[in-house]
Amino acid sequence: MKLNITETMLRDAQQSLIATRMSFEQFNDALELLDKAGYYSLECWGGATFDSCLRFLDEDPWERLRKIRATVKNTKLQMLLRGQNLLGYKHYPDDVVRAFVRKSVENGIDIVRVFDALNDLRNIEVAVDEAKKAGAHVSGALCYTTSPIHTLDMFVELGKQLEKMGCDSICIKDMAGIMSPKAAFDLVSALKKNVSLPVVVHTHSTTGLAAMALLKAAEAGADVIDCAVSCFSGGTSQPPTESMIYTLEEMGFETGVDANVVKQINDYFKPIQAEAIKSGLLNPIVMSTDTDALTYQVPGGMLSNLVSQLTMQNALDRLPEVLSEVPRVREDLGYPPLVTPTSQMVGVQAAQNVLLGERYKNVSKEIKAYLRGEYGTAPGKIDEALLTKVMGDEKPITCRFADLLEPGMEKAKEEIGDKAKCIEDVLSYVAFPQVAEKFFDKREEKARNTVKYTIQAID
Ligand code: CO
């Protein structure tokens, strides 16, 4: 039996463990090995890499992608896209989404994995359509979560819709690492039975379930699993590539991945891991197992956000109350999966409800937008009393929010002017306006200094 492996080292693993701070220079010399190992794909772009390149690493994210492509000639390059939110937190107009997806593929992406936080598939339609037109493999992702309404049938129905939309594979995306081995087995089995597309499984080791879940997913017939090379695996990252290959090959699965090459890849990244631990960039806490997410049904990242939020407000003793308020808020909102941005919205609201001594006395503008339908349709029913309290007579929108947005590319081109040297620059600017503009200024400055230096050298 064939079971493919995606290596997440360059994207999710480093995003989950070291806040996406690994520069191109740091991994450049590992690219040949990564290409040689026999992975199904390398997840290397999208998610937070784009923002981090511009904001912290002084790198042009597009150039990073082209440079990876220049070395990685045989293995598919994969990105993660937040549907109509692209790589950010708000909805972009369709012309921006289309331009962004097209340029991603033109610059080297083979596989576009696309998801919507609420599993409102209208929010990924345009990205899927454009990625298909650009010739990419589209992996439609389902955000996995547990709630009374997130039944097997609901996920199967979503899977069928992804197939109808033209997706080439379906990805089960368990961002919180709460999918149990049994749930993984049942879900993969159900999807394989009802949908004729390959099934990809993505999870995180946060709660300690992930490796077991991947094993059961493999037994149920999953086609691809996401792993991270061992020194950047575990904790909030993915299960270790080497251990998964070891286990699966022994059980008769063929991964096509050369364990000797993976060892060399791990040897390459080990000193980088050591350095990250020494500098404090890699906090041992994120590498350890945290089962609280299972007890409280909130993702690990959300729990630590709540702890720091309450600590800042000198109210850490209220944590148990806030944790019991989280599921109530989530229920009121129609059970959104807890993933960026809904996890933050629900957490902040639950804390306010407790600290102010009255539920929904204060409602954030994000929750208001959510109630207006701007993030899409909630998976379940939103509480009527809450809707009335916040919205009054105003009716939520029922259309796709992006249908209400004016086109954005021409406006952005005008705004940024000749600081943008190409469409990719304009897209960086649309995605992260202030950050990109600052990056362009610095780049200009650097170019000028290089010229000056050259002249001085001649003198
Ligand atoms: Co992930």
Side-chain angles (χ1 to χ4, degrees):
M1 259 172 308
K2 180 79 185 163
L3 179 71
N4 285 306
I5 310 273
T6 289
E7 173 62 58
T8 66
M9 176 66 232
L10 302 181
R11 207 287 296 176
D12 207 352
Q14 71 134 330
Q15 178 174 326
S16 300
L17 295 180
I18 56 167
T20 324
R21 294 298 202 280
M22 196 178 293
S23 69
F24 175 81
E25 287 312 320
Q26 280 180 293
F27 64 71
N28 185 17
D29 288 339
L31 288 175
E32 259 176 55
L33 286 169
L34 285 162
D35 192 25
K36 221 170 71 177
Y39 294 118
Y40 166 75
S41 65
L42 294 180
E43 192 188 54
C44 63
W45 211 65
T49 58
F50 197 93
D51 186 14
S52 178
C53 277
L54 289 168
R55 201 184 293 267
F56 303 111
L57 300 170
D58 249 331
E59 270 183 54
D60 180 346
W62 301 97
E63 194 183 315
R64 168 183 285 208
L65 175 56
R66 289 191 296 270
K67 278 154 73 179
I68 296 173
R69 179 82 284 176
T71 307
V72 179
K73 299 198 170 77
N74 305 305
T75 311
K76 292 194 175 87
L77 297 183
Q78 183 175 316
M79 74 175 291
L80 180 70
L81 191 79
R82 299 182 187 132
Q84 203 75 24
N85 300 348
L86 296 176
L87 306 177
Y89 308 101
K90 61 167 199 176
H91 282 242
Y92 294 97
D94 290 342
D95 67 325
V96 172
V97 172
R98 288 193 184 276
F100 199 97
V101 170
R102 182 154 292 270
K103 282 293 166 190
S104 303
V105 177
E106 279 179 19
N107 280 275
I109 289 295
D110 300 295
I111 302 177
V112 182
R113 179 182 291 171
V114 52
F115 76 97
D116 175 67
L118 297 179
N119 288 324
D120 182 341
L121 301 186
R122 296 173 306 169
N123 291 333
I124 68 168
E125 258 168 24
V126 173
V128 168
D129 181 62
E130 191 64 28
K132 290 296 296 173
K133 283 182 183 150
H137 170 117
V138 181
S139 195
L142 306 169
C143 288
Y144 179 81
T145 187
T146 53
S147 86
I149 60 158
H150 286 89
T151 58
L152 214 49
D153 287 345
M154 185 198 221
F155 284 120
V156 166
E157 193 42 51
L158 285 167
K160 285 182 182 167
Q161 285 175 36
L162 289 173
E163 184 174 36
K164 228 191 258 163
M165 278 170 79
C167 290
D168 301 288
S169 62
I170 294 176
C171 172
I172 302 166
K173 179 179 162 60
D174 175 21
M175 50 281 160
I178 53 170
M179 182 165 58
S180 71
K182 181 180 183 299
F185 186 88
D186 292 348
L187 183 48
V188 172
S189 302
L191 286 172
K192 291 299 285 186
K193 202 171 131 199
N194 291 286
V195 183
S196 55
L197 299 178
V199 174
V200 183
V201 184
H202 175 87
T203 181
H204 288 254
S205 300
T206 324
T207 65
L209 297 178
M212 295 184 281
L214 289 186
L215 186 61
K216 292 307 280 181
E219 284 181 354
D223 298 272
V224 187
I225 55 170
D226 285 7
C227 302
V229 71
S230 58
C231 67
F232 273 89
S233 73
T236 50
S237 175
Q238 275 72 50
T241 310
E242 297 93 315
S243 327
M244 290 311 299
I245 296 174
Y246 187 92
T247 306
L248 291 162
E249 297 266 343
E250 193 183 58
M251 292 179 71
F253 290 95
E254 239 174 81
T255 63
V257 177
D258 185 338
N260 293 318
V261 180
V262 181
K263 175 169 183 354
Q264 293 173 56
I265 295 169
N266 193 46
D267 288 344
Y268 178 92
F269 284 108
K270 261 188 192 164
I272 299 177
Q273 180 215 34
E275 196 185 299
I277 291 174
K278 212 170 120 196
S279 71
L281 181 58
L282 175 50
N283 186 331
I285 288 176
V286 299
M287 292 199 93
S288 59
T289 304
D290 181 352
T291 52
D292 284 352
L294 297 177
T295 319
Y296 301 122
Q297 294 289 307
V298 306
M302 185 174 163
L303 192 65
S304 53
N305 280 347
L306 283 175
V307 168
S308 67
Q309 188 190 337
L310 291 175
T311 308
M312 266 183 339
Q313 298 180 60
N314 235 337
L316 193 57
D317 57 316
R318 310 293 297 274
L319 182 64
E321 287 165 84
V322 174
L323 284 172
S324 57
E325 176 65 6
V326 166
R328 293 169 61 198
V329 171
R330 191 167 167 242
E331 182 179 350
D332 291 342
L333 295 178
Y335 298 108
L338 296 176
V339 59
T340 306
T342 44
S343 51
Q344 286 86 334
M345 284 158 53
V346 170
V348 169
Q349 191 62 50
Q352 292 216 330
N353 286 359
V354 169
L355 297 182
L356 296 178
E358 184 190 325
R359 303 189 77 220
Y360 304 110
K361 189 174 183 185
N362 244 344
V363 176
S364 68
K365 74 176 201 301
E366 287 80 13
I367 296 260
K368 281 180 188 154
Y370 178 96
L371 295 173
R372 276 197 301 268
E374 292 179 12
Y375 288 88
T377 305
K381 216 172 131 16
I382 294 177
D383 182 68
E384 281 299 335
L386 172 61
L387 265 182
T388 317
K389 178 167 182 167
V390 177
M391 304 270 294
D393 291 334
E394 198 190 334
K395 285 269 162 280
I397 60 163
T398 52
C399 66
R400 196 179 61 109
F401 182 54
D403 286 335
L404 306 175
L405 302 174
E406 295 292 328
M409 285 304 283
E410 288 311 314
K411 195 170 140 255
K413 273 183 208 166
E414 261 164 51
E415 271 175 28
I416 191 66
D418 56 11
K419 283 187 185 182
K421 307 296 178 210
C422 52
I423 296 292
E424 284 84 345
D425 280 352
V426 177
L427 289 165
S428 298
Y429 173 74
V430 180
F432 299 101
Q434 292 94 352
V435 179
E437 192 169 354
K438 226 191 252 169
F439 171 80
F440 298 150
D441 289 342
K442 259 196 215 163
R443 183 175 65 182
E444 190 77 25
E445 181 75 26
K446 243 192 252 169
R448 235 182 283 133
N449 286 339
T450 320
V451 173
K452 234 189 269 163
Y453 176 75
T454 318
I455 294 168
Q456 282 165 355
I458 294 167
D459 283 347

